[in-house]
Amino acid sequence: MAGGKDGKGRPAGWRNPFSTLEWRRGTGGYVAMIDQTLLPATQKVIRVDTLEKMRESIRALRVRGAPAIGVAAAYGMVLGLRPHAGKGARGFLAAMERVADRLAGARPTAVNLFWAVDRMKGKGKDLLAKGLQPRDVLARLLEEARAIHAEDSSQCAAIGKHGARLLRSGSCVLTHCNAGALATGGMGTALAVIYAAAAAGKKVSVFADETRPLLQGARLTSWELQKSGIDVTVICDNAAASVFGEGKIDCVVVGADRIARNGDTANKIGTYGVAQLARVHRVPFYVAAPGSTFDPLARGGADIPIENRSPDEVRQGLGKMTTPRGMKVHNPAFDVTPARLVTAFITDKGIIRPPFRKNIQLVLGW
Ligand code: MRU
């Protein structure tokens, strides 16, 4: 169905065949989310109804992907503040700081987490300053979290719309990690571009890097693209160079966890290598991300904290021992692609081309 839109601004022809996460019921409710650690073997929806469960879900990657982490953290603020709604304003305010810190400590790299927590905190403080009682503030904070979720969904659709214009019919796209509906509150960032192009009637195929060590590409990207009927082929990360060499890739589209003012981009470990391959093979390298992934406080990549995860993710990859017992392991979860390797950013506000330092500010209205 070329060109049309559904009621939520998404391209007609694309329907999410699953719900990544959603808040159910009122302030006494909970978040129902797909436990992404179990995919693709098992599609299980878990109930997350406390602050600590939400923190653990983010740390353990049951919910993952920068925008989805932001949405989850916003709901996490409601879960964490709920037990304090009977307190006075001062007690509630103090609890807000503690809950925010607890969530912010879950993972360090995706800036959407901090962005969402700060927005929720700002809203809560405003409402308390206006004299609202904590119980009413809690109800308004749930509305705010739902608004963050809905905005993320429309931003994904806008990214898809802008990005789809960059793909010709017949394009073959390489992506790394998972930047799809599983990673956001909507249709994804990098994968939104593919979904929107397909919905507009273009024939698009995808190579998904498997994305060691936790296989977000092999487990998640392939799962959701297959469910949406997109032609997808999984490759081992170390097959990417030869696939580029065979001239099979027309462009790369990836997501991002944090983008600095100068355009340096943190994304899943291995992205930097893919960007270099794209440059050597003269293939465009696009980064798709909403405004909430750009960090005005990071001047460059050196300001982006990189998460180091447990060595056991590498020692016992695929559920089996994959190194000798006790082997030294270096396991950074993200790397930084220098801005000079990025062809353009695909954002909800439009395409941003170099010079990035100037154009990011201009397009995002900083
Ligand atoms: O460790 P993860 O699975 O949370 O890493 C996710 C990524 O690196 C994604 O590419 C990024 O968050 C963009 S998601 C739209």
Side-chain angles (χ1 to χ4, degrees):
M1 273 190 231
K5 298 247 185 78
D6 74 358
K8 291 182 177 160
R10 297 170 304 209
W14 187 83
R15 293 282 176 281
N16 196 348
F18 52 85
S19 166
T20 300
L21 80 167
E22 66 190 37
W23 181 276
R24 293 197 182 148
R25 308 210 191 113
T27 47
Y30 61 94
V31 174
M33 65 166 73
I34 295 186
D35 182 345
Q36 298 191 33
T37 63
L38 304 177
L39 288 173
T42 307
Q43 185 176 340
K44 182 178 172 197
V45 174
I46 54 170
R47 181 187 176 115
V48 178
D49 53 8
T50 65
L51 168 66
E52 287 311 314
K53 280 192 201 167
M54 183 57 86
R55 187 175 194 270
E56 190 278 339
S57 297
I58 295 172
R59 276 182 85 83
L61 275 55
R62 298 185 203 290
V63 59
R64 30 79 36 214
I69 293 173
V71 173
Y75 289 134
M77 288 290 287
V78 177
L79 295 173
L81 285 168
R82 183 162 62 195
H84 305 280
K87 290 187 175 156
R90 275 179 57 174
F92 192 79
L93 193 65
M96 204 149 66
E97 294 297 343
R98 286 198 305 274
V99 170
D101 287 351
R102 194 81 191 125
L103 286 164
R107 293 188 77 187
T109 304
V111 74
N112 309 59
L113 170 60
F114 309 97
W115 172 87
V117 163
D118 282 350
R119 175 162 155 182
M120 293 291 286
K121 226 165 58 170
K123 184 77 186 180
K125 282 183 182 166
D126 271 6
L127 295 169
L128 287 171
K130 285 184 182 142
L132 262 75
Q133 291 306 305
R135 208 165 288 288
D136 300 322
V137 175
L138 187 73
R140 296 280 293 275
L141 285 178
L142 175 56
E143 282 173 22
E144 189 71 4
R146 286 187 189 279
I148 287 174
H149 195 165
E151 285 165 26
D152 187 56
S153 176
S154 2
Q155 285 162 0
C156 287
I159 288 170
K161 185 186 83 177
H162 295 303
R165 298 201 184 111
L166 300 170
L167 303 189
R168 291 180 285 101
S169 195
S171 287
C172 179
V173 179
L174 182 128
T175 191
H176 190 76
C177 194
N178 171 264
L182 284 168
T184 64
M187 62 192 287
T189 56
L191 298 195
V193 173
I194 287 150
Y195 291 134
K202 296 182 187 175
K203 199 170 159 347
V204 183
S205 60
V206 178
F207 276 107
D209 281 348
E210 64 174 353
T211 317
R212 279 281 285 143
L214 296 181
L215 303 178
Q216 286 92 332
R219 295 188 302 107
L220 308 178
T221 295
S222 64
W223 183 80
E224 66 165 276
L225 287 176
Q226 190 181 55
K227 269 189 179 297
S228 284
I230 306 282
D231 175 1
V232 54
T233 305
V234 173
I235 55 172
C236 294
D237 297 326
N238 47 11
S242 78
V243 176
F244 271 103
E246 288 162 14
K248 290 187 172 154
I249 312 291
D250 296 300
C251 71
V252 176
V253 189
V254 294
D257 285 83
R258 193 186 294 224
I259 301 163
R261 292 183 82 90
N262 67 349
D264 288 352
T265 298
N267 191 47
K268 178 55 54 191
I269 189 75
T271 304
Y272 179 26
V274 173
Q276 287 176 318
L277 287 173
R279 175 55 54 95
V280 166
H281 293 91
R282 298 174 196 278
V283 164
F285 179 90
Y286 299 116
V287 175
S292 52
T293 301
F294 289 78
D295 181 0
L297 301 178
R299 281 158 304 166
D303 292 335
I304 302 179
I306 298 295
E307 176 180 15
N308 274 299
R309 292 187 61 87
S310 165
D312 286 340
E313 290 180 350
V314 178
R315 289 186 192 132
Q316 287 158 38
L318 318 169
K320 284 191 178 171
M321 280 194 65
T322 43
T323 70
R325 199 177 300 281
M327 177 52 59
K328 275 198 296 180
V329 163
H330 176 49
N331 185 22
F334 302 97
D335 58 24
V336 175
T337 298
R340 67 185 153 76
L341 296 179
V342 177
T343 307
F345 293 96
I346 306 167
T347 78
D348 50 303
K349 301 249 165 62
I351 307 289
I352 307 180
R353 294 192 183 271
F356 292 132
R357 210 183 293 272
K358 172 167 155 252
N359 289 343
I360 286 174
Q361 284 193 43
L362 215 63
V363 174
L364 298 185
W366 286 349

